[in-house]
């Protein structure tokens, strides 16, 4: 359970950095508390997308991973971020990613920051 909380907080921190750095990734809300709650919920959605959908996509695109020497990972991460944005819209969460290239840059930032935060934050094992 502790590991789940740590990963969710790392996702939330990584999403926050991407929102802060990229103008076309937006999180809106009436107050800071509402924005924080929305960010946590979006981090949960993002975690579920990465847990459930990403392995299937990686398996189906495995030949492209070999052919592009892993660079297709940027596209897969962008698609996962766009899917998260779409799901957030369906769940009436005020998180939006505007466009594919924004999602590519956002996915890159989120991957790097999430990796760094998972290294720094304590593990639940």
């Amino acid at each position: 359970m502790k590991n789940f909380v740590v990963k969710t907080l790392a996702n939330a921190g990584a999403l926050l950095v991407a929102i802060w750095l990229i103008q076309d990734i937006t999180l809106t809300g009436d107050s800071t508390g509402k924005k924080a709650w929305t960010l946590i919920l979006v981090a949960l959605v993002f975690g579920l997308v990465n847990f459930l959908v990403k392995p299937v996509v990686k398996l189906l695109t495995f030949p492209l991973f070999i052919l592009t020497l892993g660079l297709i990972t940027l596209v897969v991460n962008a698609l996962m971020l766009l899917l998260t944005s779409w799901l957030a819209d369906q769940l009436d969460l005020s998180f939006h990613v505007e466009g594919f290239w924004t999602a590519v840059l956002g996915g890159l930032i989120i991957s790097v920051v999430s990796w760094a935060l998972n290294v720094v934050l304590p593990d639940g094992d």
Side-chain angles (χ1 to χ4, degrees):
M1 180 67 173
K2 186 177 180 183
N3 193 25
F4 173 75
V5 172
V6 168
K7 287 191 180 293
T8 301
L9 289 175
N11 279 338
L15 285 164
L16 185 62
V17 170
I19 291 165
W20 181 62
L21 289 176
I22 303 174
Q23 181 180 355
D24 289 336
I25 299 178
T26 57
L27 178 74
T28 56
D30 300 335
S31 64
T32 304
K34 181 156 174 55
K35 285 182 182 179
W37 180 245
T38 302
L39 183 64
I40 295 296
L41 291 175
V42 170
L44 286 170
V45 170
F46 186 67
L48 283 173
V49 165
N50 279 325
F51 180 73
L52 298 173
V53 179
K54 194 173 185 176
V56 174
V57 172
K58 278 188 167 182
L59 181 65
L60 293 175
T61 59
F62 184 70
L64 288 175
F65 275 93
I66 295 172
L67 187 64
T68 64
L69 301 174
L71 289 177
I72 194 74
T73 305
L74 294 172
V75 174
V76 170
N77 288 342
L79 294 175
M80 296 304 107
L81 190 56
L82 286 172
L83 180 59
T84 300
S85 176
W86 181 80
L87 287 171
D89 186 46
Q90 299 303 310
L91 296 171
D92 201 29
L93 298 172
S94 55
F95 173 77
H96 184 68
V97 178
E98 185 68 38
F100 176 74
W101 293 109
T102 300
V104 170
L105 184 57
L108 181 63
I109 291 170
I110 289 169
S111 295
V112 170
V113 173
S114 181
W115 170 80
L117 288 176
N118 279 312
V119 167
V120 173
L121 291 173
D123 197 6
D125 294 337

